[in-house]
Amino acid sequence: ATHASAAARRGSTHAMRARGGAPRVVARVAGTVLGIWAMAHLARATSRAFAPTLNAHRDRSGRCEETPGKWDVDAARARARALTAESEAMRADGFAVLLNTFERPDLLKTALRHYGKCRGVEEIRVVWSEKRDAPREGTAEDGYFVKKKPGLVRYDAHAESTSIQNRFEPLDDLRTRAVFNVDEDVRIPCDTLYRGFKAWQKHPDALVGYYARNYAPAKKPSDGCSWRYVANEFQLWWSGKYSIILTKAAFMDQKYLKLYKEHLPDGVREYIDKGGGNCEDIAMQFLISSITREAPVYVPASLMYYAKAKLGGVGVAGISSGAGHHLKRGDCITDFQTMFGAEHIPLVETYQ
């Protein structure tokens, strides 16, 4: 699962107006939409209130016949406590943007212009995994920087690796406790971004972000002990539950970069790099949830933002649109449960 592989997959209305029928049609459509919306909310609330407990063989315990792997979660929690003391000594009034990119220069430049003007951004660190040299400020490559803010943008080169996991490499010279992980094709509106930062300040140990996902038991009993990845927006909205925040747009304490490098269970990094469905974000959520035993925090953007993102192809043209992508991510959840040594799946569900 490398950046390279990710880059490789990536007249009747006028007639009605003439007859004067448009206002009546609009009114009818609006009334129908409002009626459906009201009924859906009532049905959703009712289903929550009277939802039966799942049968034992399909409950959320995640008990498997296979033997879980060995992972020292207590050591990870102890290290997290030590790193928290270091984090609390860092600046908390702003955040660093960790901008992940690979061979999409136009999107990168647009992202730099966007995040360079957002409130709270103290620095932008570009995760550079391309084979060519990283851009240098003060040269003809100034489009890769923010001209009005010299020194705001820095490039962290990973010349010997194109791993998607480079985005989680620790940065020793960070100035802020909070980091905002984001892909170059995702542009969270500045006001929504700052609202997410304020939410993170209230939940500094959690993963806080704008794209929520969940897991669910396999649909067929023949699939045994396995999980499905739930990414369907309607299904997520209907259930109101989530347990995963995608790191393509998420705040976290910088300590988790070190914990990902130092305390990820054996084999997880190799699993992801050798075809693990680009599941580094799920691995990070597993790590954080295992350590904190708390749910992530979802900060929804406006419906207009999500609609524009879909129409504009933001976050759609890459690996997430590949055939079988969601099936593979379900496999990641199933396999990570074993690799994290968990009899009970560590992902913590919560309600929107």
Side-chain angles (χ1 to χ4, degrees), residues 171-187:
L171 301 173
D172 293 333
D173 54 350
L174 282 170
R175 300 194 295 264
T176 61
R177 179 181 182 180
V179 295
F180 176 64
N181 286 279
V182 66
D183 290 347
E184 85 270 75
D185 62 345
V186 178
R187 290 178 292 283

PDB file of all heavy atoms in Angstrom, residues 171-187:
ATOM      1  N   LEU A 171       7.657  13.769  14.239  1.00  0.00           N
ATOM      2  CA  LEU A 171       8.400  14.981  13.897  1.00  0.00           C
ATOM      3  C   LEU A 171       8.871  15.609  15.201  1.00  0.00           C
ATOM      4  O   LEU A 171       8.073  16.145  15.971  1.00  0.00           O
ATOM      5  CB  LEU A 171       7.515  15.946  13.103  1.00  0.00           C
ATOM      6  CG  LEU A 171       6.956  15.402  11.780  1.00  0.00           C
ATOM      7  CD1 LEU A 171       5.953  16.392  11.187  1.00  0.00           C
ATOM      8  CD2 LEU A 171       8.086  15.139  10.794  1.00  0.00           C
ATOM      9  N   ASP A 172      10.160  15.536  15.453  1.00  0.00           N
ATOM     10  CA  ASP A 172      10.700  15.952  16.744  1.00  0.00           C
ATOM     11  C   ASP A 172      10.604  17.454  16.994  1.00  0.00           C
ATOM     12  O   ASP A 172      10.601  17.895  18.140  1.00  0.00           O
ATOM     13  CB  ASP A 172      12.159  15.508  16.878  1.00  0.00           C
ATOM     14  CG  ASP A 172      12.290  13.985  16.957  1.00  0.00           C
ATOM     15  OD1 ASP A 172      11.334  13.337  17.419  1.00  0.00           O
ATOM     16  OD2 ASP A 172      13.343  13.467  16.547  1.00  0.00           O
ATOM     17  N   ASP A 173      10.554  18.248  15.919  1.00  0.00           N
ATOM     18  CA  ASP A 173      10.587  19.694  16.111  1.00  0.00           C
ATOM     19  C   ASP A 173       9.212  20.353  15.956  1.00  0.00           C
ATOM     20  O   ASP A 173       9.113  21.542  15.667  1.00  0.00           O
ATOM     21  CB  ASP A 173      11.577  20.342  15.143  1.00  0.00           C
ATOM     22  CG  ASP A 173      11.301  19.955  13.689  1.00  0.00           C
ATOM     23  OD1 ASP A 173      10.478  19.050  13.460  1.00  0.00           O
ATOM     24  OD2 ASP A 173      11.915  20.561  12.785  1.00  0.00           O
ATOM     25  N   LEU A 174       8.154  19.607  16.179  1.00  0.00           N
ATOM     26  CA  LEU A 174       6.824  20.215  16.168  1.00  0.00           C
ATOM     27  C   LEU A 174       6.697  21.227  17.297  1.00  0.00           C
ATOM     28  O   LEU A 174       7.217  21.022  18.401  1.00  0.00           O
ATOM     29  CB  LEU A 174       5.739  19.135  16.321  1.00  0.00           C
ATOM     30  CG  LEU A 174       5.390  18.314  15.077  1.00  0.00           C
ATOM     31  CD1 LEU A 174       4.490  17.139  15.468  1.00  0.00           C
ATOM     32  CD2 LEU A 174       4.699  19.183  14.040  1.00  0.00           C
ATOM     33  N   ARG A 175       5.968  22.300  17.040  1.00  0.00           N
ATOM     34  CA  ARG A 175       5.811  23.343  18.056  1.00  0.00           C
ATOM     35  C   ARG A 175       4.501  23.227  18.824  1.00  0.00           C
ATOM     36  O   ARG A 175       4.349  23.828  19.891  1.00  0.00           O
ATOM     37  CB  ARG A 175       5.889  24.720  17.393  1.00  0.00           C
ATOM     38  CG  ARG A 175       7.193  24.995  16.667  1.00  0.00           C
ATOM     39  CD  ARG A 175       7.342  26.467  16.336  1.00  0.00           C
ATOM     40  NE  ARG A 175       6.332  26.915  15.389  1.00  0.00           N
ATOM     41  CZ  ARG A 175       6.521  26.989  14.071  1.00  0.00           C
ATOM     42  NH1 ARG A 175       7.672  26.588  13.561  1.00  0.00           N
ATOM     43  NH2 ARG A 175       5.572  27.451  13.276  1.00  0.00           N
ATOM     44  N   THR A 176       3.540  22.492  18.279  1.00  0.00           N
ATOM     45  CA  THR A 176       2.215  22.433  18.897  1.00  0.00           C
ATOM     46  C   THR A 176       1.869  21.009  19.304  1.00  0.00           C
ATOM     47  O   THR A 176       2.341  20.034  18.712  1.00  0.00           O
ATOM     48  CB  THR A 176       1.137  22.931  17.927  1.00  0.00           C
ATOM     49  OG1 THR A 176       1.115  22.093  16.769  1.00  0.00           O
ATOM     50  CG2 THR A 176       1.403  24.374  17.523  1.00  0.00           C
ATOM     51  N   ARG A 177       1.003  20.913  20.306  1.00  0.00           N
ATOM     52  CA  ARG A 177       0.540  19.606  20.759  1.00  0.00           C
ATOM     53  C   ARG A 177      -0.410  18.982  19.736  1.00  0.00           C
ATOM     54  O   ARG A 177      -0.356  17.779  19.489  1.00  0.00           O
ATOM     55  CB  ARG A 177      -0.158  19.743  22.111  1.00  0.00           C
ATOM     56  CG  ARG A 177      -0.706  18.434  22.655  1.00  0.00           C
ATOM     57  CD  ARG A 177      -1.412  18.622  23.995  1.00  0.00           C
ATOM     58  NE  ARG A 177      -1.893  17.346  24.516  1.00  0.00           N
ATOM     59  CZ  ARG A 177      -2.555  17.204  25.667  1.00  0.00           C
ATOM     60  NH1 ARG A 177      -2.811  18.280  26.406  1.00  0.00           N
ATOM     61  NH2 ARG A 177      -2.959  16.011  26.062  1.00  0.00           N
ATOM     62  N   ALA A 178      -1.266  19.801  19.159  1.00  0.00           N
ATOM     63  CA  ALA A 178      -2.272  19.301  18.225  1.00  0.00           C
ATOM     64  C   ALA A 178      -1.725  19.271  16.803  1.00  0.00           C
ATOM     65  O   ALA A 178      -1.053  20.203  16.365  1.00  0.00           O
ATOM     66  CB  ALA A 178      -3.524  20.165  18.271  1.00  0.00           C
ATOM     67  N   VAL A 179      -2.038  18.177  16.092  1.00  0.00           N
ATOM     68  CA  VAL A 179      -1.727  18.100  14.666  1.00  0.00           C
ATOM     69  C   VAL A 179      -3.011  17.747  13.924  1.00  0.00           C
ATOM     70  O   VAL A 179      -3.847  16.995  14.426  1.00  0.00           O
ATOM     71  CB  VAL A 179      -0.627  17.057  14.364  1.00  0.00           C
ATOM     72  CG1 VAL A 179       0.685  17.474  14.991  1.00  0.00           C
ATOM     73  CG2 VAL A 179      -1.025  15.665  14.828  1.00  0.00           C
ATOM     74  N   PHE A 180      -3.147  18.328  12.740  1.00  0.00           N
ATOM     75  CA  PHE A 180      -4.300  18.046  11.894  1.00  0.00           C
ATOM     76  C   PHE A 180      -3.819  17.269  10.682  1.00  0.00           C
ATOM     77  O   PHE A 180      -3.147  17.813   9.811  1.00  0.00           O
ATOM     78  CB  PHE A 180      -4.991  19.342  11.473  1.00  0.00           C
ATOM     79  CG  PHE A 180      -6.145  19.130  10.512  1.00  0.00           C
ATOM     80  CD1 PHE A 180      -7.261  18.420  10.903  1.00  0.00           C
ATOM     81  CD2 PHE A 180      -6.100  19.655   9.224  1.00  0.00           C
ATOM     82  CE1 PHE A 180      -8.326  18.220  10.028  1.00  0.00           C
ATOM     83  CE2 PHE A 180      -7.156  19.460   8.340  1.00  0.00           C
ATOM     84  CZ  PHE A 180      -8.268  18.735   8.741  1.00  0.00           C
ATOM     85  N   ASN A 181      -4.135  15.986  10.636  1.00  0.00           N
ATOM     86  CA  ASN A 181      -3.785  15.149   9.491  1.00  0.00           C
ATOM     87  C   ASN A 181      -4.791  15.379   8.372  1.00  0.00           C
ATOM     88  O   ASN A 181      -6.005  15.336   8.606  1.00  0.00           O
ATOM     89  CB  ASN A 181      -3.825  13.670   9.887  1.00  0.00           C
ATOM     90  CG  ASN A 181      -2.662  13.263  10.746  1.00  0.00           C
ATOM     91  OD1 ASN A 181      -1.576  13.001  10.246  1.00  0.00           O
ATOM     92  ND2 ASN A 181      -2.874  13.217  12.051  1.00  0.00           N
ATOM     93  N   VAL A 182      -4.300  15.593   7.144  1.00  0.00           N
ATOM     94  CA  VAL A 182      -5.218  15.841   6.038  1.00  0.00           C
ATOM     95  C   VAL A 182      -4.576  15.442   4.717  1.00  0.00           C
ATOM     96  O   VAL A 182      -3.357  15.550   4.550  1.00  0.00           O
ATOM     97  CB  VAL A 182      -5.659  17.325   6.019  1.00  0.00           C
ATOM     98  CG1 VAL A 182      -4.480  18.250   5.695  1.00  0.00           C
ATOM     99  CG2 VAL A 182      -6.820  17.555   5.071  1.00  0.00           C
ATOM    100  N   ASP A 183      -5.393  14.937   3.808  1.00  0.00           N
ATOM    101  CA  ASP A 183      -4.937  14.637   2.453  1.00  0.00           C
ATOM    102  C   ASP A 183      -5.018  15.887   1.593  1.00  0.00           C
ATOM    103  O   ASP A 183      -5.827  16.779   1.842  1.00  0.00           O
ATOM    104  CB  ASP A 183      -5.807  13.543   1.828  1.00  0.00           C
ATOM    105  CG  ASP A 183      -5.578  12.188   2.471  1.00  0.00           C
ATOM    106  OD1 ASP A 183      -4.586  12.039   3.208  1.00  0.00           O
ATOM    107  OD2 ASP A 183      -6.401  11.278   2.237  1.00  0.00           O
ATOM    108  N   GLU A 184      -4.215  15.920   0.532  1.00  0.00           N
ATOM    109  CA  GLU A 184      -4.136  17.136  -0.267  1.00  0.00           C
ATOM    110  C   GLU A 184      -5.411  17.428  -1.048  1.00  0.00           C
ATOM    111  O   GLU A 184      -5.617  18.541  -1.523  1.00  0.00           O
ATOM    112  CB  GLU A 184      -2.926  17.087  -1.221  1.00  0.00           C
ATOM    113  CG  GLU A 184      -3.163  16.369  -2.543  1.00  0.00           C
ATOM    114  CD  GLU A 184      -2.849  14.892  -2.489  1.00  0.00           C
ATOM    115  OE1 GLU A 184      -3.660  14.149  -1.904  1.00  0.00           O
ATOM    116  OE2 GLU A 184      -1.827  14.464  -3.060  1.00  0.00           O
ATOM    117  N   ASP A 185      -6.297  16.446  -1.185  1.00  0.00           N
ATOM    118  CA  ASP A 185      -7.542  16.688  -1.918  1.00  0.00           C
ATOM    119  C   ASP A 185      -8.716  16.996  -1.004  1.00  0.00           C
ATOM    120  O   ASP A 185      -9.863  17.059  -1.460  1.00  0.00           O
ATOM    121  CB  ASP A 185      -7.878  15.488  -2.813  1.00  0.00           C
ATOM    122  CG  ASP A 185      -8.101  14.202  -2.029  1.00  0.00           C
ATOM    123  OD1 ASP A 185      -7.721  14.153  -0.836  1.00  0.00           O
ATOM    124  OD2 ASP A 185      -8.661  13.241  -2.596  1.00  0.00           O
ATOM    125  N   VAL A 186      -8.452  17.196   0.270  1.00  0.00           N
ATOM    126  CA  VAL A 186      -9.514  17.512   1.237  1.00  0.00           C
ATOM    127  C   VAL A 186      -9.277  18.919   1.772  1.00  0.00           C
ATOM    128  O   VAL A 186      -8.219  19.196   2.350  1.00  0.00           O
ATOM    129  CB  VAL A 186      -9.531  16.501   2.400  1.00  0.00           C
ATOM    130  CG1 VAL A 186     -10.597  16.880   3.423  1.00  0.00           C
ATOM    131  CG2 VAL A 186      -9.770  15.090   1.879  1.00  0.00           C
ATOM    132  N   ARG A 187     -10.263  19.776   1.600  1.00  0.00           N
ATOM    133  CA  ARG A 187     -10.145  21.150   2.087  1.00  0.00           C
ATOM    134  C   ARG A 187     -11.321  21.469   3.001  1.00  0.00           C
ATOM    135  O   ARG A 187     -12.409  21.835   2.549  1.00  0.00           O
ATOM    136  CB  ARG A 187     -10.076  22.126   0.901  1.00  0.00           C
ATOM    137  CG  ARG A 187      -8.775  22.019   0.147  1.00  0.00           C
ATOM    138  CD  ARG A 187      -8.708  22.938  -1.038  1.00  0.00           C
ATOM    139  NE  ARG A 187      -9.632  22.552  -2.101  1.00  0.00           N
ATOM    140  CZ  ARG A 187      -9.433  21.548  -2.949  1.00  0.00           C
ATOM    141  NH1 ARG A 187      -8.343  20.802  -2.846  1.00  0.00           N
ATOM    142  NH2 ARG A 187     -10.318  21.274  -3.887  1.00  0.00           N
TER     143      ARG A 187
END
